[in-house]
Amino acid sequence: GSKFINTSYIIDTLRMFKDDEEKEAMRLASKLNDQSMAKLKEAVTGDRSEKQLVGILSKIYEDLGADGFSFDPIIGFGANAANPHGVPGNDLPKPGDTLILDIGCVKDNYCADMTRTVFYKEIPEKGREIFEIVLEANKRAEAIIKPGVRFCDIDAAARDYITEKGYGEYFTHRTGHSIGLECHDKGDVSAINTDEVKPGMIFSIEPGIYLSGDLGVRIEDLVLVTEDGCEILNSHPKEICVVG
């Protein structure tokens, strides 16, 4: 006559709200990720493949005192950047390529996650156009975050702008996900999530546009909901830049 009831959602929901100690842990993880992104961008050269940069990133994290990857890094050049979940391969960057650098470390059991898109050697006109649209979508979503705003409205702030600019069909994933002890915790920033955001929640804002066989652009920050707005945990610049 025994019955088993799944109560994991109780713990999952509690984990969505970070206490002061957890907030500090998340800030530290993001600080290490900021420092690592700067070093990774400096490591981009014409003779280093996506896979080789993953190896370099692992060493960067180790040197900075992080505890490893929070997820398998997504480092993609050119056409591989057009796959939102691309697997790093042996391709080398070519002038004009967009380079998606989606990286995250773990520190003291808490996860970081950030994406920056950069250009190798030069910025083609189409790449610049797409980048500026994604950057504005990222900023619009972050600008409305405060207690009481629904996750679906945050998603719409990014998605509607990208659609307005004619690229709605190329934004092929949700705008964000919750993060903490795991990189993908319970909760997301999506069109179907009508829950309201509350102080202590931490989640990503990562709109993107992906043109198959050509290029991809994604810009991702982590945000902490405060009593009257939000704190962006990443300080590494997200404006357009050239590497190599």
Side-chain angles (χ1 to χ4, degrees):
S2 298
K3 289 195 291 186
F4 296 92
I5 300 172
N6 183 0
T7 58
S8 62
Y9 73 91
I10 297 174
I11 301 299
D12 292 341
T13 301
L14 288 172
R15 278 172 46 173
M16 294 177 69
F17 299 90
K18 309 305 190 282
D19 62 24
D20 289 344
E21 185 177 348
E22 290 177 301
K23 292 173 187 175
E24 283 304 310
M26 293 292 291
R27 290 186 182 107
L28 175 57
S30 286
K31 180 180 179 179
L32 292 176
N33 216 30
D34 284 338
Q35 295 170 351
S36 300
M37 180 67 78
K39 292 179 179 296
L40 180 63
K41 286 164 64 173
E42 292 175 355
V44 175
T45 61
D47 58 356
R48 285 177 173 159
S49 69
E50 299 161 339
K51 278 185 175 181
Q52 286 174 313
L53 286 179
V54 170
I56 290 170
L57 177 62
S58 178
K59 184 65 165 57
I60 290 171
Y61 281 151
E62 181 180 353
D63 291 344
L64 289 175
D67 303 323
F69 295 139
S70 59
F71 62 94
D72 291 336
I74 300 172
I75 296 179
F77 305 157
N80 199 24
N83 180 351
H85 301 101
V87 177
N90 295 314
D91 289 345
L92 301 176
K94 303 183 297 296
D97 274 352
T98 56
L99 279 55
I100 280 187
L101 309 174
D102 187 350
I103 68 171
C105 64
V106 176
K107 178 63 176 176
D108 297 333
N109 298 314
Y110 283 84
C111 298
D113 187 5
M114 171 175 55
T115 308
R116 293 294 182 258
T117 300
V118 299
F119 292 85
Y120 183 67
K121 294 293 187 182
E122 59 191 47
I123 306 174
E125 183 177 345
K126 174 60 72 173
R128 183 183 294 276
E129 175 195 0
I130 298 298
F131 184 95
E132 295 296 345
I133 293 170
V134 173
L135 178 61
E136 179 64 19
N138 169 278
K139 290 179 176 180
R140 288 189 178 209
E142 292 175 353
I144 70 166
I145 297 172
K146 63 181 180 179
V149 173
R150 299 182 302 171
F151 284 103
C152 58
D153 296 328
I154 300 170
D155 180 270
R159 196 171 304 278
D160 289 353
Y161 179 74
I162 290 175
T163 299
E164 173 190 324
K165 292 297 183 179
Y167 292 97
E169 66 184 291
Y170 304 105
F171 181 12
T172 54
H173 55 73
R174 60 190 177 176
T175 295
H177 58 85
S178 295
I179 186 171
L181 289 171
E182 295 183 54
C183 189
H184 286 203
D185 263 346
K186 172 180 165 59
D188 64 8
V189 186
S190 67
I192 63 172
N193 188 354
T194 58
D195 292 345
E196 295 181 354
V197 306
K198 298 177 181 178
M201 291 180 168
I202 298 179
F203 48 86
S204 67
I205 297 295
E206 49 181 302
I209 295 175
Y210 312 93
L211 305 184
S212 181
D214 188 7
L215 63 87
V217 174
R218 179 166 64 254
I219 300 172
E220 175 187 19
D221 296 316
L222 296 186
V223 298
L224 163 63
V225 182
T226 62
E227 294 296 330
D228 57 1
C230 75
E231 173 188 344
I232 299 174
L233 298 185
N234 307 107
S235 62
H236 189 83
K238 57 187 175 184
E239 283 68 27
I240 198 164
C241 77
V242 174
V243 298

